[in-house]
Amino acid sequence: MSKLQALKNFRFPNVFILILIVFISCALLICINFFTIKILSANRAYVNGESHYSKGQKDASRHLITYLFTKNPTQWKLYLEELKVPQGDGIARVTLLKAGDNKIARKGFLIGRNHEDDLDDIIWLFDNFKHVSFLSKAIDEWGQGDKLIFDLFVIGQQINAKIEHNILTAEDQKKYLKQISSISDRLTVNERNFSNTLGEGTRKIKDLLIITNIFFILVIVCSVCLYYSIMVKRLLVSKKEIEMKNENLITVNRELDRFVYSASHDLRSPITSLKGLIEITALEDDVEQVRNYLQMMHQSLARQDQFISDIIDYSKNKRKQIIIEPVSLKELCNEAILQLMHIENANRIKFTQELLVDHIESDGLRLKIIINNLLSNAIKYADCNKPEMLITIKTYFSEGQNKLEVTDNGIGIHDDYKANIFDMYFGTNKNKGSGLGLYIVKEAVENIRGDISVFSESSVGSKFIVTIPNSYAV
């Protein structure tokens, strides 16, 4: 009995240590979540403010252009009223940089149509994080935008002066219209960069919050579990030693079973395949057979690498913003061919390019994903039994649309599979692909508002035709 009492006295301090750990972890978790929510709330307020800034600038530009051609004084008043919105934000920015939180900065934000309840968070984030990379970059974009707003203000004053003195000419109207449009376009870029920078910072904060929450929750759960274990042991301390050991063994075995079950379902098949190959390779004396095993390992890793690459493409396709810019189809095709030459039998294939269309306006990232995946599929499913393996890439203009056509004389697609080839994780041969390629292609095509069609005959070959819009005007 004295030994049991001694055991209880020995465990007693550990209980309070665990409670202290739980208390500190909970306190830190609350503080971290509070400040993270405050930061995210401030970010949200900045994004909301940017929308008012952007709308005010665009409305001001619209009213100024209308005033330029109609000389209607009402349009001039509307222009000045809308221009106050970005000007107010600009005053707040300059004031915060020079003097910090004061009435002038708050008044500027209110003129910028920011909600009064958001001012504390906006100013707090500015004061405390203005030197942090993401906010510093956003403030820099903000400053560049304010300079353009000032330029727009100066142009407005020039236009008003000429209208009041009745000396505005048609040539002046063209000149000022061009200047206003140029400033508006540059402001749009600044505003987009501002929002993207804040969005990037918000995502980083969110990821950090998730990691921090997981860490502290694990600490709390482990501490509570350990506390529970100690308390159970205290209740069972009066029982025989063998019963305590058996009970602990049952508990440990149960937890071990759960772990093994979860692990066996979570681990990816290439890892299991590699493990098996390593084990049998260790027992093999035949050098040629060992080389075969190593080749199989390489193929397993290549499949895993392709799967990861597909996941990255999928993530980019989902996450990245659509950016319409000048794109060279010839460069994308040549780059894709060079990158895919490592695939088995790629060097045996004859590539033919008939590019009647090269430079177009579209999203370069999505087109790269589309071309890479279509060519990758054509190479993987080439028919090695044919005397000559062919892949033809064509671009042309038809029915007001740009067309991209990839044709091969590979193994083709069986009629039973054609309805499902664009489904996620669908693959006619899992050893050759992850089942994500054509699904990603389909989503990428939809993202650029295009269309894709397939014509295929088993043992003859396949043809994929991607329609790329020639114009993205709303």
Side-chain angles (χ1 to χ4, degrees), residues 14-31:
N14 292 340
V15 173
F16 284 97
I17 291 174
L18 291 172
I19 293 174
L20 183 62
I21 291 173
V22 171
F23 177 82
I24 293 174
S25 298
C26 288
L28 289 173
L29 198 59
I30 291 171
C31 291

Side-chain angles (χ1 to χ4, degrees), residues 43-266:
N43 267 4
R44 187 267 312 155
Y46 270 105
V47 172
N48 185 58
E50 187 278 329
S51 68
H52 290 302
Y53 185 107
S54 175
K55 186 177 186 301
Q57 170 260 311
K58 287 178 171 57
D59 287 344
S61 298
R62 176 169 55 83
H63 291 307
L64 183 58
I65 291 171
T66 304
Y67 179 61
L68 176 64
F69 287 96
T70 65
K71 303 178 183 179
N72 186 346
T74 303
Q75 294 298 321
W76 172 249
K77 292 179 181 179
L78 291 172
Y79 155 75
L80 293 176
E81 184 66 25
E82 292 299 328
L83 196 63
K84 285 181 182 178
V85 176
Q87 286 177 331
D89 285 335
I91 292 171
R93 178 187 63 82
V94 173
T95 304
L96 287 175
L97 285 173
K98 292 181 177 179
D101 185 7
N102 58 36
K103 291 182 179 179
I104 296 176
R106 290 177 176 267
K107 184 178 179 181
F109 280 128
L110 290 175
I111 293 173
R113 295 175 182 167
N114 294 279
H115 198 282
E116 187 175 1
D117 293 341
D118 290 333
L119 297 187
D120 289 337
D121 286 343
I122 291 174
I123 294 173
W124 175 83
L125 185 70
F126 195 105
D127 283 341
N128 293 280
F129 293 85
K130 59 187 174 186
H131 298 301
V132 177
S133 60
F134 83 93
L135 189 57
S136 176
K137 288 165 61 178
I139 292 173
D140 183 62
E141 292 289 344
W142 186 358
Q144 295 178 38
D146 287 345
K147 292 178 182 178
L148 294 171
I149 291 296
F150 179 76
D151 292 341
L152 184 63
F153 171 77
V154 171
I155 291 173
Q157 294 299 320
Q158 294 173 354
I159 292 172
N160 186 52
K162 290 200 172 189
I163 290 176
E164 287 182 345
H165 292 84
N166 199 26
I167 58 174
L168 184 69
T169 65
E171 191 65 26
D172 289 332
Q173 289 176 327
K174 293 180 181 178
K175 181 186 73 173
Y176 287 130
L177 177 61
K178 185 176 180 180
Q179 291 176 349
I180 295 169
S181 298
S182 175
I183 289 174
S184 183
D185 290 342
R186 288 155 64 194
L187 275 167
T188 298
V189 174
N190 282 117
E191 291 156 0
R192 182 170 63 240
N193 290 342
F194 180 89
S195 295
N196 289 343
T197 302
L198 286 179
E200 180 183 352
T202 301
R203 286 189 291 273
K204 289 180 179 178
I205 293 170
K206 181 197 71 174
D207 293 339
L208 183 61
L209 174 64
I210 292 173
I211 294 171
T212 304
N213 272 272
I214 291 173
F215 173 78
F216 281 108
I217 288 171
L218 286 175
V219 170
I220 293 169
V221 170
C222 291
S223 299
V224 170
C225 289
L226 191 53
Y227 173 82
Y228 176 78
S229 176
I230 292 172
M231 296 306 295
V232 169
K233 287 180 181 179
R234 283 188 171 184
L235 294 174
L236 299 175
V237 75
S238 60
K239 294 185 178 181
K240 295 179 181 181
E241 185 177 356
I242 189 65
E243 291 177 343
M244 293 177 63
K245 289 182 178 180
N246 288 339
E247 184 64 27
N248 289 336
L249 183 61
I250 291 171
T251 303
V252 170
N253 286 338
R254 186 180 297 118
E255 295 298 326
L256 181 61
D257 288 342
R258 289 175 184 166
F259 171 79
V260 172
Y261 177 80
S262 298
S264 65
H265 284 76
D266 292 340

Side-chain angles (χ1 to χ4, degrees), residues 289-307:
Q289 188 61 38
V290 169
R291 288 177 179 170
N292 290 336
Y293 290 149
L294 289 174
Q295 180 62 25
M296 293 170 67
M297 292 179 196
H298 176 76
Q299 292 173 355
S300 182
L301 285 173
R303 288 196 300 273
Q304 186 72 348
D305 180 67
Q306 181 61 46
F307 180 78

Side-chain angles (χ1 to χ4, degrees), residues 277-293:
L277 287 169
I278 290 170
E279 289 177 355
I280 62 174
T281 302
L283 302 174
E284 184 61 58
D285 295 327
D286 187 345
V287 175
E288 189 62 32
Q289 188 61 38
V290 169
R291 288 177 179 170
N292 290 336
Y293 290 149

Side-chain angles (χ1 to χ4, degrees), residues 351-453:
F351 290 89
T352 303
Q353 297 187 49
E354 299 176 16
L355 307 181
L356 302 181
V357 173
D358 182 9
H359 296 284
I360 65 171
E361 295 281 334
S362 190
D363 186 283
L365 172 64
R366 270 71 185 189
L367 287 178
K368 182 177 181 180
I369 290 173
I370 292 167
I371 293 171
N372 278 23
N373 278 280
L374 290 179
L375 289 179
S376 174
N377 263 20
I379 295 171
K380 290 174 187 174
Y381 295 98
D383 191 343
C384 299
N385 296 321
K386 290 180 179 177
E388 188 176 31
M389 295 183 286
L390 304 172
I391 294 178
T392 302
I393 308 167
K394 295 181 180 180
T395 61
Y396 52 91
F397 191 78
S398 175
E399 299 177 353
Q401 305 283 340
N402 296 306
K403 302 282 186 175
L404 169 67
E405 185 177 304
V406 177
T407 308
D408 64 71
N409 66 338
I411 61 176
I413 304 171
H414 196 277
D415 290 341
D416 295 340
Y417 299 144
K418 288 180 181 178
N420 305 107
I421 59 172
F422 293 112
D423 294 345
M424 179 181 278
Y425 294 119
F426 179 84
T428 58
N429 189 336
K430 291 297 183 182
N431 291 325
K432 289 184 177 289
S434 63
L436 283 173
L438 289 179
Y439 173 80
I440 295 171
V441 168
K442 180 71 171 177
E443 285 217 329
V445 170
E446 290 174 352
N447 281 342
I448 61 173
R449 303 185 213 166
D451 189 28
I452 185 169
S453 55

